């Protein structure tokens, strides 16, 4: 999750603090997800992030590919 989230943030040129603000999530929650401290966040946390990046929760978790991101 954190690898995909970091990649999405890199592609959109957004920082964790900005993502937290845009999704109305606590900055500490977003930072824990970005750093990998929270490997399995609740769906209620993932939903606004997935919506912000226009991906599904399954794509955010790495269970499905994100077509517009080239594999590394």
């Amino acid at each position: 999750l954190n690898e995909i989230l970091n990649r999405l943030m890199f592609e959109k040129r957004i920082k964790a603090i900005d993502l937290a603000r845009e999704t109305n999530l606590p900055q500490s929650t977003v930072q824990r997800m970005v750093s990998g401290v929270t490997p399995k966040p609740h769906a209620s946390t993932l939903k606004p992030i997935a919506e912000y990046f226009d991906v599904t929760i399954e794509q955010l978790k790495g269970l499905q590919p994100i077509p517009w991101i080239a594999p590394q």
Side-chain angles (χ1 to χ4, degrees), residues 9-65:
M9 290 170 53
F10 175 79
E11 294 285 335
K12 293 281 189 173
R13 293 178 170 81
I14 188 170
K15 296 180 181 176
I17 189 170
D18 301 319
L19 180 60
R21 189 178 309 117
E22 292 290 330
T23 58
N24 292 318
L25 292 170
Q27 181 184 350
S28 58
T29 300
V30 173
Q31 191 59 48
R32 285 193 305 270
M33 290 174 58
V34 169
S35 65
V37 175
T38 307
K40 294 183 180 182
H42 293 104
S44 60
T45 302
L46 294 175
K47 188 173 189 250
I49 294 173
E51 288 174 354
Y52 177 80
F53 288 113
D54 196 26
V55 297
T56 66
I57 291 176
E58 288 77 20
Q59 289 173 317
L60 189 59
K61 289 181 174 180
L63 303 175
Q64 295 177 350

